[in-house]
Amino acid sequence: MVSDEYISWRNHFLLLLDRIPTPIAVCRPDGEVTVANPAMAAEWGTSPGRLRGRNLHELFRPRLPGRLDRHIEALRLGRRPRHPIEVRWMAGAGGVEREGELLVDPVGDGFPPSPMLLAVLRVRAAAAETIPRPAEPVAEVSVVEGHILALAAAGATTAAIGKAVGLTVDGVNYHLTRLTRRWRVPNRTALVAKAYVLGVLSTREWPPAAFPQRTRGGACRSTQSPHVPPGGTR
């Protein structure tokens, strides 16, 4: 029967493994993955549980054919190869090829006839840069909200914003509070920053303006107050 101490140490090991940012997997002597941390699973755009049962031979393509087989066989015979294995793999749902080094060592100091293996993946920085970053999230706001955000980004006071959009100070604060809660940000500064990140505000215009395609109910092309002549101050 498995002891409580063993279970406790195993749980601590799994918790530590989950927090390590380096892709790591524990494998059977034939290369079958038994445990993978989230960083390793993320290379294939999946969860650690779905990576379990797959084989290193299936996941990686060594730059030199047969290199992984010879490495594992050397470990089984009690030898410890000195050099990592240069590998390639298809990352994520998009199937983008990445490159790196795979270090495979026996778990523990001993060399039993069939050692469990610890596989550590080093992703090459140059290869990582070729992975397309996920598209920035986008959001949609009303014309009034887009106008308010643009004015806030330009540094207008709440009173000036209200005058520009025809609302009271309380009305402006109502819209700002709604947006703050919707986007889960703590204050107006963070709200403006989030508006840029979400693609609501254009990064190519000054004074700031909301993208027409990000506003509901019509275009919001101008942030100029109807009460302030062009070129005037708010």
Side-chain angles (χ1 to χ4, degrees):
M1 180 174 292
V2 179
S3 68
D4 292 340
E5 184 178 4
Y6 168 81
I7 294 175
S8 177
W9 276 107
R10 182 179 185 277
N11 290 339
H12 279 92
F13 168 75
L14 294 176
L15 181 61
L16 177 63
L17 195 65
D18 284 349
R19 295 182 178 180
I20 296 176
T22 302
I24 297 175
V26 178
C27 310
R28 298 186 189 280
D30 62 355
E32 179 185 334
V33 176
T34 61
V35 177
N37 70 348
M40 179 68 86
E43 290 298 319
W44 286 268
T46 187
S47 63
R50 290 184 178 274
L51 208 60
R52 187 182 305 121
R54 300 183 65 178
N55 199 287
L56 294 180
H57 297 85
E58 171 194 354
L59 297 172
F60 298 102
R61 291 183 293 106
R63 183 177 291 274
L64 298 177
R67 178 77 170 80
L68 181 57
D69 293 307
R70 293 193 296 272
H71 189 102
I72 292 178
E73 178 62 15
L75 292 175
R76 189 185 69 80
L77 296 175
R79 299 195 298 269
R80 184 170 301 211
R82 297 176 56 186
H83 303 291
I85 308 166
E86 294 189 9
V87 292
R88 299 174 180 174
W89 65 98
M90 304 304 289
V96 179
E97 185 176 76
R98 303 186 74 165
E99 296 182 352
E101 296 179 336
L102 187 65
L103 292 83
V104 182
D105 283 310
V107 176
D109 296 328
F111 283 90
S114 298
M116 293 294 287
L117 307 176
L118 184 68
V120 180
L121 179 63
R122 294 176 179 171
V123 182
R124 286 185 181 166
E129 293 172 359
T130 65
I131 302 301
R133 294 183 180 181
E136 294 289 355
V138 296
E140 192 178 65
V141 297
S142 69
V143 174
V144 172
E145 289 172 336
H147 202 170
I148 290 174
L149 286 168
L151 290 165
T157 65
T158 304
I161 294 174
K163 185 177 180 181
V165 300
L167 292 174
T168 64
V169 169
D170 288 341
V172 173
N173 284 331
Y174 167 77
H175 284 287
L176 290 173
T177 300
R178 283 189 63 190
L179 287 167
T180 297
R181 290 175 178 172
R182 186 191 311 169
W183 294 345
R184 299 179 182 178
V185 292
N187 51 49
R188 183 181 297 192
T189 300
L191 182 64
V192 169
K194 192 72 176 280
Y196 279 110
V197 170
L198 294 176
V200 172
L201 295 178
S202 171
T203 59
R204 299 181 179 180
E205 297 182 55
W206 189 266
F211 276 115
Q213 59 268 36
R214 297 283 180 252
T215 58
R216 299 187 300 270
C220 180
R221 297 182 182 277
S222 173
T223 61
Q224 180 67 47
S225 167
H227 305 290
V228 179
T233 57
R234 294 182 175 84

